[in-house]
Amino acid sequence: MAHVHANTPFAPLGIAVLTVSDTRGFDEDGSGDLLSERLTEAGHALVERRIVPDDVYRIRAVVSKWVVRDDIQVVLVNGGTGFTPRDTTPEALSPLFDKAIDGYGELFRQLSIESIGTSTIQSRAVAGLIDRTLVFAMPGSPKACATAWDGILVAQLDARTRPCNFVAMVLPEARRCGSRRAVPAPRQDDSETRRQEASA
């Protein structure tokens, strides 16, 4: 079970939020609002926020520009993860991933089954690492965004979370995951100790 390591400092990240929608503007973007509020409440910085249509190349163009910026370590994408002909977010992002984070989608569906039942199999939530930038895509409803943030991302984007978090993947100075217990010095044989005391 994950826990917070009290001796590790919190490391704020620069996060960009991308809403994928053919119909929403900022006034109707409840999901983008929720993610922006949640990440700033957690202590991170909202670096940029945009809305693009459900189009593979427009999604890919925005994300590609963001992942090369030094002030953005995480990109949160909401919308376009279903099965309609216009839902193309996974197809836009997956070719860009250096490493896919398969467990993110698996865990998201496990969490969302509590609220939407077997319909969760239609949630094609995906995530991956592009160079040193994390990209997480989730469905476009505020409820789904809350599930992703509250159930997964708030902890995994916190350097204090143990045994593992993703912060060290995007901040070179961050401490790696796992236990860092000091290795005790080898114990000297009693006869060796006596010889050193006798020669002193």
Side-chain angles (χ1 to χ4, degrees):
M1 185 174 182
H3 62 278
V4 172
H5 195 281
N7 294 328
T8 302
F10 178 79
L13 301 173
I15 302 180
V17 174
L18 178 65
T19 295
V20 177
S21 175
D22 287 332
T23 59
R24 275 183 277 170
F26 284 108
D27 290 340
E28 302 82 30
D29 187 20
S31 297
D33 289 341
L34 183 143
L35 290 171
S36 300
E37 291 168 5
R38 290 286 211 279
L39 71 89
T40 51
E41 287 170 359
H44 301 295
L46 176 63
V47 178
E48 191 168 342
R49 179 178 166 187
R50 290 190 61 182
I51 299 175
V52 296
D54 289 276
D55 178 84
V56 168
Y57 301 104
R58 294 194 186 190
I59 296 167
R60 200 175 286 168
V62 173
V63 172
S64 296
K65 288 179 181 178
W66 281 350
V67 298
V68 297
R69 288 176 52 172
D70 293 336
D71 59 340
I72 295 176
Q73 289 83 46
V74 181
V75 175
L76 304 180
V77 183
N78 75 89
T81 61
F83 277 92
T84 73
R86 293 290 293 169
D87 289 324
T88 57
T89 296
E91 287 75 19
L93 298 178
S94 295
L96 302 178
F97 295 157
D98 298 319
K99 292 183 184 295
I101 305 171
D102 296 327
Y104 166 75
E106 295 166 359
L107 181 54
F108 176 85
R109 286 180 283 276
Q110 180 183 339
L111 294 172
S112 65
I113 196 171
E114 298 175 6
S115 58
I116 64 172
T118 58
S119 296
T120 190
I121 65 171
Q122 296 193 35
S123 299
R124 297 191 301 143
V126 296
L129 187 67
I130 306 174
D131 194 10
R132 296 190 67 89
T133 304
L134 292 161
V135 179
F136 297 95
M138 63 206 75
S141 73
K143 192 170 187 178
C145 291
T147 296
W149 181 266
D150 298 339
I152 306 171
L153 300 178
V154 69
Q156 281 300 298
L157 299 180
D158 189 333
R160 300 168 297 180
T161 299
R162 290 294 181 269
C164 281
N165 64 77
F166 278 112
V167 177
M169 301 288 181
V170 296
L171 292 181
E173 68 276 13
R175 185 177 177 184
R176 292 286 176 185
C177 293
S179 174
R180 291 292 184 269
R181 295 176 183 171
V183 178
R187 187 176 178 180
Q188 289 182 319
D189 181 76
D190 289 341
S191 59
E192 176 66 21
T193 302
R194 286 195 294 272
R195 280 197 296 272
Q196 289 180 355
E197 290 174 346
S199 62

